[in-house]
Amino acid sequence: MNKPVLGVLCSGRGTNLQSIIAAAESGQIPAAIGLVITDKPEAKALERAAQAGIPHICVDRKRCASRQEFEEKLAASLKEHGVTLVILAGFMRILSPYFVREFSGRIMNIHPSLLPSFGGAHAHRDVLAYGVKVSGCTIHFVDEGMDSGPIILQAAVPVADDDTEDTLAARVLEQEHVLYPKAIELYLKGRLVTEGRHVRIKS
Ligand code: GAR
């Protein structure tokens, strides 16, 4: 039987992409990565995909006349490659209801804080400014809001008094690289049951 196909969307260096590639190669994730898309031509994620022999394209947001055109291109490319689950891995754009409906219930995102606290584009800066003692990361399904969809998995890390954005980001990233493959594995094995805001993990 054919494996399910993942499409991974990235904006930058792609270390989460790399952990997902490793998990697909080891067999932890029973899926193929069918396509990697970036919204920026300089994103290092493209090189990582190339090195792993994964089809990869850039849909340059700056070359699209509108968000609708950009998202139509994303959706068309993902469908052409037979993608059934869309993975946002450091993809720094908010997707409109149009795109979310195209892949309804089949888009996951990773965010580097314990949602619903510290959503948005500067989670670590906001965590340090607020003075919380614990942070972490969240994997969630994407709905039509920002960082607001049903939560699949979370991992916590301590925040140290002398943390900088970089030291905190590095501690959280270690957890991200474990948690994202795990969430994808659970999804692909049919172990996630979503009821409203709640995602139950079947044993
Ligand atoms: C990760 O820390 C991810 O959680 C974050 O961007 C980083 C991407 O790193 N995502 C967001 O902030 C989404 N709002 P990577 O490119 O090395 O995977």
Side-chain angles (χ1 to χ4, degrees):
M1 211 173 73
N2 285 345
K3 283 184 177 176
V5 180
L6 310 183
V8 186
L9 272 53
C10 306
S11 294
R13 68 191 164 178
T15 65
N16 277 289
L17 167 66
Q18 197 71 57
S19 73
I20 294 163
I21 291 172
E25 285 176 352
S26 74
Q28 180 196 351
I29 294 177
I33 304 174
L35 183 64
V36 170
I37 307 182
T38 71
D39 59 330
K40 295 188 185 125
E42 69 277 13
K44 191 163 185 268
L46 291 170
E47 284 169 41
R48 295 181 190 273
Q51 263 175 11
I54 296 167
H56 52 284
I57 57 169
C58 171
V59 179
D60 193 344
R61 173 62 183 93
K62 290 195 187 120
R63 289 172 174 270
C64 297
S66 63
R67 177 157 88 164
Q68 183 68 22
E69 181 189 323
F70 172 67
E71 292 188 357
E72 280 173 8
K73 285 186 177 166
L74 294 182
S77 303
L78 291 165
K79 286 177 185 174
E80 264 167 39
H81 285 77
V83 167
T84 50
L85 178 64
V86 179
I87 302 295
L88 309 183
F91 187 66
M92 303 307 277
R93 292 197 178 274
I94 295 165
L95 293 162
S96 75
Y98 154 74
F99 186 91
V100 174
R101 283 182 208 139
E102 287 292 299
F103 293 92
S104 183
R106 296 184 291 126
I107 310 172
M108 281 187 194
N109 183 42
I110 188 160
H111 184 76
S113 76
L114 294 175
L115 291 173
S117 294
F118 308 110
H122 304 285
H124 301 307
R125 184 190 71 188
D126 297 344
V127 160
L128 293 175
Y130 200 91
V132 292
K133 304 292 186 190
V134 175
S135 189
C137 54
T138 302
I139 315 289
H140 63 94
F141 284 116
V142 173
D143 66 7
E144 293 182 19
M146 190 183 73
D147 296 330
S148 60
I151 290 171
I152 302 167
L153 291 175
Q154 292 184 302
V157 303
V159 179
D161 289 344
D162 60 354
D163 262 334
T164 63
E165 282 184 49
D166 286 347
T167 59
L168 177 59
R171 195 175 307 120
V172 172
L173 202 60
E174 253 182 64
Q175 298 301 317
E176 295 186 35
H177 294 162
V178 177
L179 214 62
Y180 219 167
K182 182 75 198 159
I184 297 167
E185 178 191 351
L186 290 169
Y187 175 90
L188 293 170
K189 292 186 174 166
R191 292 183 54 197
L192 299 181
V193 181
T194 306
E195 288 156 3
R197 282 217 51 80
H198 299 265
V199 180
R200 212 162 33 82
I201 300 173
K202 286 196 291 187
S203 50

